[in-house]
Amino acid sequence: MPFPKEFHFGVCSAAYQVEGAIHEGDKLPSIWDVYSHTPGKIKNGENGDIAIDFYHRYKEDIVLAKELGVDTFRFSLAWTRLVKQDGSTNEAGVKFYRQVLEEIHRQGLRPVITLYHWDLPQYLEDRGGWKERNIIDDFLTYVRVAKENFLDLCQDYLTFNEPQCFLYLGYQNLGHAPGKVYTFEEMMRAAHNVLMCHFKAQRLLEEGHPEVHVGFVNTMNGVIPEDDSVALWEEIKKHFFATPKTAQDFYTQSIYMDPLYLHHYPKEVEEYMEEHHILQPGDLDLIRNGKEDTVYLNLYTANHCYVDKKGLYHSERRPTKENQGFLEWLIKEPETLYYTPKLIQERYHLPIVISENGDAVEDILTPDGHIHDPRRSEYLLSYLGEMEKAIQDGVDIRGYFYWSLCDNFEWAEGFGPRFGLVYIDYKNGLKRIKKDSFTSYQTFIKEHH
Ligand code: BGC
């Protein structure tokens, strides 16, 4: 089946995971630069100082994306390359990203910029990080730099990648930078500040530029119902969209997604924020007037959901020998891309883009220099197949981005987990080698466009 005309196929990456060159272009340290150099934080003491050297090799990688056949190249800017501590613009950073954007266009691809993929300037973390209201001004200073310098070359922006991850894992000390512990109230403040940054950035970028489009990227463990009953589906919705009750509950949905796509907080969240003076005049108006027209979802896996004989609801991982991936949470569940977009569309009634999906596999370089990775191809094609089924059943999905074009620095896990369609030979000058799965995705795109 050919996909809808406006359907986009893409690949994605994030600055800290690929760029390296941390001492070039007057880059300031981010929380990941500091965290990765803190003993014991990253597997095998690895860090992103060099990463895969996208900073110097972006041309090669963009040409590979072109060869793959995708039409969209999603990547992130490093805030710490673009804004100096006094708020002025770092021209070296502007120059670098303009060159990247120009190359993306030269290859006939469409760029999508993620503004925040987890690399907060360390000086802002030292001031208290996301829980402090004044972070909004700093974020807007950064967004202004993007607006002034990149709007002619890029019209599609995603403000935040996965607050579900960077707030929860980073501020409940669960293995991500900055490794702090916020209280429940601080988590609420941080979530609200992130949303305020988003809405204000959206206004700023879109003002006077009807061609500019600004979205927000969510992530979640998807759902797979054990049966097709309406009762179970309703139960799933109730639990899936429940609001956080403790600081450990911030890997959650409605606190971010309801304000974005329904234009209001869940009632009890709004009440809490009122009581704790988190809301300031004008905040709810910003939320009411938000302009979201697409829901972006990073989806890798799902939980199986059922109600037991005693009427208790369960949502659980089902790892088996066959579906267990390279990382503990990474369980191959292709139906993730069938049921989850359906669930999201029923609540928010907006088109959906799968902004990330991918598999990490232990790739083994053959003596003649190849990577045969049938498991990754099988993952990719089975997920795409389920997504196709969802589209046939009326779910309005407009795009799919594979994570990631190349192997890269997988945060606390270091370089071990390889998500790329292109192998990086870390022992051999970061040589790029196309894996078999590169061809699988390439063929799928050809057949469906
Ligand atoms: C993140 C990526 C990460 C990928 C695989 C996503 O949650 O956006 O940065 O590498 O998952 O773990």
Side-chain angles (χ1 to χ4, degrees):
M1 179 195 90
F3 277 37
K5 247 213 172 98
E6 66 276 24
F7 196 92
H8 291 294
F9 284 104
V11 280
C12 36
S13 65
Y16 187 71
Q17 294 181 273
V18 298
E19 280 180 6
I22 59 156
H23 299 299
E24 288 183 57
D26 290 328
K27 183 188 168 312
L28 295 174
S30 79
I31 54 174
W32 273 96
D33 290 308
V34 173
Y35 190 76
S36 66
H37 280 269
T38 310
K41 295 299 187 193
I42 312 292
K43 233 183 205 160
N44 304 320
E46 292 169 339
N47 58 58
D49 289 7
I50 300 173
I52 65 165
D53 201 22
F54 179 79
Y55 192 78
H56 297 108
R57 301 176 74 149
Y58 63 91
K59 285 194 179 163
E60 199 180 338
D61 292 346
I62 296 165
V63 167
L64 278 165
K66 165 74 180 169
E67 185 185 340
L68 181 62
V70 293
D71 56 68
T72 307
F73 192 87
R74 176 185 167 214
F75 70 109
S76 84
L77 308 180
W79 186 343
T80 51
R81 284 198 190 282
L82 287 165
V83 187
K84 297 185 189 168
Q85 197 158 340
D86 64 4
S88 62
T89 302
N90 178 352
E91 294 301 336
V94 169
K95 185 170 166 222
F96 168 62
Y97 289 119
R98 284 196 64 85
Q99 284 168 348
V100 172
L101 287 164
E102 277 158 9
E103 186 60 31
I104 293 171
H105 285 290
R106 199 168 299 127
Q107 296 308 325
L109 304 177
R110 176 181 72 112
V112 172
I113 285 179
T114 312
L115 289 164
Y116 187 75
H117 204 127
W118 307 357
D119 42 358
L120 185 69
Q122 180 63 41
Y123 66 90
L124 293 179
E125 181 51 44
D126 294 341
R127 225 179 53 193
W130 288 105
K131 69 177 167 32
E132 300 303 324
R133 178 90 190 185
N134 55 7
I135 201 161
I136 300 171
D137 296 331
D138 294 277
F139 188 71
L140 291 177
T141 301
Y142 165 43
V143 174
R144 234 169 258 121
V145 173
K147 177 165 183 167
E148 280 161 17
N149 293 286
F150 306 132
L151 237 51
D152 58 328
L153 291 171
C154 181
Q155 288 80 48
D156 288 286
Y157 293 84
L158 299 165
T159 51
F160 288 93
N161 184 70
E162 304 183 355
Q164 291 88 348
C165 271
F166 76 79
L167 291 181
Y168 171 65
L169 300 177
Y171 294 92
Q172 289 303 303
N173 195 18
L174 291 168
H176 275 214
K180 295 267 170 68
V181 181
Y182 276 178
T183 63
F184 181 74
E185 183 182 333
E186 288 168 342
M187 290 302 281
M188 279 287 198
R189 286 187 183 278
H192 183 65
N193 289 338
V194 165
L195 285 162
M196 290 300 102
C197 283
H198 167 76
F199 286 114
K200 290 187 182 210
Q202 183 176 58
R203 275 203 175 170
L204 178 62
L205 286 164
E206 291 184 358
E207 214 163 56
H209 288 271
E211 75 284 11
V212 170
H213 178 267
V214 181
F216 186 101
V217 180
N218 301 281
T219 194
M220 59 201 61
N221 276 353
V223 296
I224 299 178
E226 284 292 87
D227 65 63
D228 281 335
S229 69
V230 174
L232 175 57
W233 194 241
E234 288 308 315
E235 198 62 17
I236 288 175
K237 284 186 190 164
K238 204 170 91 196
H239 290 272
F240 192 83
F241 295 108
T243 55
K245 302 277 181 285
T246 70
Q248 290 78 45
D249 285 345
F250 274 76
Y251 190 89
T252 186
Q253 298 314 320
S254 58
I255 189 170
Y256 311 106
M257 295 179 85
D258 284 8
L260 286 163
Y261 312 117
L262 296 179
H263 307 290
H264 58 77
Y265 273 121
K267 199 163 159 282
E268 64 273 30
V269 171
E270 187 177 322
E271 281 166 7
Y272 182 94
M273 288 190 176
E274 283 285 9
E275 268 166 36
H276 291 79
H277 311 289
I278 296 174
L279 295 176
Q280 293 206 358
D283 287 3
L284 294 180
D285 285 337
L286 265 179
I287 293 175
R288 261 191 293 276
N289 297 319
K291 295 208 177 63
E292 258 46 54
D293 59 9
T294 307
V295 181
Y296 294 87
L297 301 177
N298 291 355
L299 288 174
Y300 290 82
T301 188
N303 286 1
H304 289 258
C305 309
Y306 64 98
V307 176
D308 69 15
K309 288 201 185 96
K310 290 187 193 142
L312 292 175
Y313 178 75
H314 300 265
S315 164
E316 61 195 28
R317 287 183 184 170
R318 289 274 170 80
T320 64
K321 238 169 71 196
E322 287 71 41
N323 70 11
Q324 179 61 61
F326 191 84
L327 295 162
E328 201 204 342
W329 58 267
L330 191 56
I331 299 168
K332 181 177 151 221
E333 296 282 9
E335 286 178 318
T336 304
L337 288 198
Y338 180 76
Y339 289 107
T340 320
K342 210 166 154 180
L343 184 78
I344 298 298
Q345 183 162 294
E346 276 184 25
R347 186 174 177 95
Y348 298 119
H349 306 285
L350 286 172
I352 287 168
V353 167
I354 308 299
S355 34
E356 279 182 34
N357 172 246
D359 194 16
V361 173
E362 193 173 4
D363 295 314
I364 297 169
L365 194 58
T366 62
D368 60 344
H370 289 95
I371 298 289
H372 304 302
D373 57 342
R375 193 198 136 99
R376 185 178 288 100
S377 292
E378 156 61 24
Y379 177 105
L380 178 63
L381 296 177
S382 58
Y383 274 68
L384 284 167
E386 290 294 328
M387 183 185 78
E388 201 172 346
K389 239 172 78 187
I391 296 173
Q392 276 161 358
D393 286 356
V395 185
D396 187 0
I397 303 178
R398 304 269 177 95
Y400 173 92
F401 291 68
Y402 183 80
W403 179 274
S404 181
L405 176 66
C406 298
D407 295 337
N408 57 52
F409 180 76
E410 177 56 22
W411 308 112
E413 301 289 336
F415 293 102
R418 293 174 176 271
F419 277 89
L421 300 169
V422 175
Y423 183 85
I424 300 293
D425 192 348
Y426 294 108
K427 294 190 184 124
N428 187 15
L430 303 175
K431 188 173 169 207
R432 273 73 171 146
I433 299 168
K434 284 173 266 170
K435 305 179 189 177
D436 288 358
S437 56
F438 183 98
T439 314
S440 304
Y441 191 29
Q442 188 181 48
T443 309
F444 186 93
I445 296 171
K446 261 190 210 138
E447 286 171 354
H448 289 78
H449 238 195

